[in-house]
Amino acid sequence: MKNLKKEFPVTANYTHLNTAGSGLLSETLLDFRQNHDLDYLVMGSLLKNDQDSFLDKVRKDVGAFFNCNASYVALVPNFSIGFNAVLEGIPATHKILLLEEDYPSINWPVLSRNFNVCYASINEHLEDNIQQAIEKEHPDVLCLSLVQYISGIRIDLEFLKALKSKFPKLLIIADGTQYCGIESFDFENSGIDILGASAYKWLNAGYGNGFFLIKQETALQIELKTTGFNSIRGKYKEAQNTFIGKLEPGHLDTLAQGSLQAAIGLIKRVGQHQITTQIDILKTKAFEQFAEKGLLDSVVLKRKQHSSIFNIRGDQKLFEKLNNNQIICSQRGEGIRVSFHYFNSQDDLLKLSKLI
């Protein structure tokens, strides 16, 4: 997909293998943002007169993209703000199952509220570990990232669906920040009750936007405490105490949320299937090459499936060497994290392999 180098200009000068850290600004997104701010410049508050209907359209597009009824799509500045609000609606007596060493924005908010907490280990037996913990500890809630930010280990979504079927009273809350945008996702037919995500990574939507998707039956069970004037503004929020209204207590930035809409529009134009195919090709080849060179942890090698995020063995010297050769990556855990998105090519992987 080399023609996408033009859509993401930074890829002409750098090998960007850091989507797990930050997505890119596309020409499509830049056009929207420039036009939006030009309208704001010349129209002032007149532009904001239509902000409710504008945000309703963003909500509908997000819902259609992930198959979630628009009345259960909440727009948020980022995952953490929404997740903290959701936790305030969960009874303090509930027991919550977490994954050991999951993303801090998942575990820290839970621990700060003094819930009764139990854990499952992240290793090659992740799914079995979760099920065993549920059978032993009987938690009320499972909170987890769909893709681990350090290792790239990915939960089996079919497992979550089966888990929900076996334990229907278990509330499953997932962070999709490292997942949403890499493949088609049918929220309504998933095993997840609440899915939240920041959109600045794999959706390439820029900063300051995100969303929460909520199952209808789940929205009826949780009583959120956050509220404000914006809680009743716009379609789907006319009645007080709606779930999405409680997640949207204050004003929303039309520039940020419109960027999410524009980013989804770009994905639809390119084609989610084509994007997924390109990612699958790259992650398969990367996995094979990294495994052959002995760069991957044994836990990753034993997994049946993996994401396009890899933590390869490498020290500070190798990290500096990659940076000096215009390869953008991150130091995470004990290694170097590289991640492949649809604007990457096999030439990018070849360049990385040669330098290693």
Side-chain angles (χ1 to χ4, degrees):
M1 306 180 81
K2 293 183 178 179
N3 58 323
L4 284 172
K5 298 291 185 183
K6 182 179 180 182
E7 184 70 45
F8 297 94
V10 69
T11 62
N13 300 310
Y14 295 91
T15 301
H16 188 271
L17 302 180
N18 195 37
T19 301
S22 176
L24 299 180
L25 179 68
S26 65
E27 291 281 2
T28 294
L29 194 52
L30 178 63
D31 288 344
F32 162 75
R33 293 167 75 92
Q34 288 181 323
N35 290 332
H36 176 282
D37 276 356
L38 180 59
D39 288 342
Y40 192 18
L41 179 68
V42 299
M43 295 175 62
S45 63
L46 293 174
L47 176 67
K48 301 300 181 180
N49 289 341
D50 295 324
Q51 66 179 354
D52 290 344
S53 61
F54 177 86
L55 292 169
D56 289 339
K57 292 176 183 176
V58 176
R59 194 187 316 280
K60 288 181 66 175
D61 282 357
V62 172
F65 189 69
F66 293 107
N67 189 27
C68 178
N69 188 304
S71 59
Y72 294 99
V73 176
L75 303 176
V76 294
N78 54 60
F79 170 82
S80 295
I81 287 177
F83 184 54
N84 274 273
V86 168
L87 289 177
E88 286 298 307
I90 296 176
T93 55
H94 274 22
K95 178 183 284 191
I96 298 182
L97 173 61
L98 300 174
L99 303 185
E100 292 177 349
E101 299 181 357
D102 202 343
Y103 192 53
S105 289
I106 286 278
N107 288 6
W108 291 358
V110 173
L111 295 173
S112 72
R113 287 168 172 81
N114 297 315
F115 284 109
N116 187 1
V117 175
C118 54
Y119 292 93
S121 298
I122 300 173
N123 56 34
E124 64 268 32
H125 306 298
L126 174 58
E127 290 79 8
D128 290 339
N129 297 340
I130 291 174
Q131 181 151 333
Q132 289 172 15
I134 291 172
E135 293 171 347
K136 178 183 177 181
E137 301 286 348
H138 307 290
D140 302 288
V141 187
L142 166 63
C143 298
L144 78 168
S145 299
L146 296 182
V147 176
Q148 291 302 309
Y149 77 112
I150 292 179
S151 65
I153 289 176
R154 170 180 166 169
I155 192 74
D156 184 344
L157 294 180
E158 287 302 313
F159 163 76
L160 290 182
K161 191 171 183 178
L163 193 69
K164 184 64 180 180
S165 179
K166 186 173 182 179
F167 303 99
K169 293 184 178 181
L170 178 69
L171 178 65
I172 300 178
I173 304 176
D175 176 9
T177 301
Q178 295 286 15
Y179 169 77
C180 293
I182 67 170
E183 65 184 15
S184 295
F185 177 68
D186 186 340
F187 174 72
E188 195 59 41
N189 292 301
S190 74
I192 299 169
D193 298 295
I194 301 176
L195 174 74
S198 294
Y200 68 97
K201 295 189 178 184
W202 299 90
L203 287 163
N204 294 302
Y207 287 75
N209 56 59
F211 55 88
F212 269 71
L213 313 177
I214 306 99
K215 295 281 178 62
Q216 181 177 0
E217 58 272 21
T218 303
L220 298 174
Q221 297 171 5
I222 300 178
E223 183 61 40
L224 301 186
K225 298 178 177 64
T226 47
T227 190
F229 182 55
N230 195 58
S231 295
I232 57 171
R233 291 192 58 177
K235 192 176 180 181
Y236 312 115
K237 297 190 294 181
E238 297 93 339
Q240 292 187 7
N241 298 320
T242 61
F243 194 95
I244 66 171
K246 292 294 186 68
L247 280 180
E248 299 177 4
H251 74 270
L252 293 169
D253 183 4
T254 51
L255 175 68
Q257 301 301 338
S259 295
L260 172 57
Q261 183 182 44
I264 288 176
L266 174 59
I267 291 174
K268 291 165 68 175
R269 287 200 304 275
V270 175
Q272 184 67 77
H273 176 72
Q274 286 81 355
I275 289 172
T276 302
T277 298
Q278 177 69 0
I279 293 173
D280 285 346
I281 290 172
L282 289 172
K283 76 176 184 182
T284 298
K285 290 184 177 297
F287 186 93
E288 292 172 351
Q289 291 185 25
F290 295 156
E292 183 180 351
K293 295 176 182 291
L295 298 174
L296 298 177
D297 189 280
S298 60
V299 170
V300 172
L301 294 173
K302 295 174 183 176
R303 295 281 296 170
K304 292 182 180 179
Q305 61 175 329
H306 193 71
S307 71
S308 61
I309 301 172
F310 298 92
N311 198 303
I312 60 176
R313 291 190 173 90
D315 55 14
Q316 180 68 27
K317 184 177 180 181
L318 176 59
F319 180 68
E320 293 175 357
K321 179 181 180 181
L322 297 179
N323 283 343
N324 291 336
N325 283 273
Q326 288 72 53
I327 291 182
I328 304 175
C329 51
S330 300
Q331 287 180 300
R332 291 292 186 274
E334 298 180 356
I336 298 171
R337 187 183 65 187
V338 295
S339 46
F340 298 88
H341 207 351
Y342 71 103
F343 47 69
N344 291 120
S345 66
Q346 294 189 47
D347 288 340
D348 294 337
L349 175 57
L350 179 61
K351 179 180 178 180
L352 174 66
S353 296
K354 286 182 175 179
L355 287 170
I356 293 174

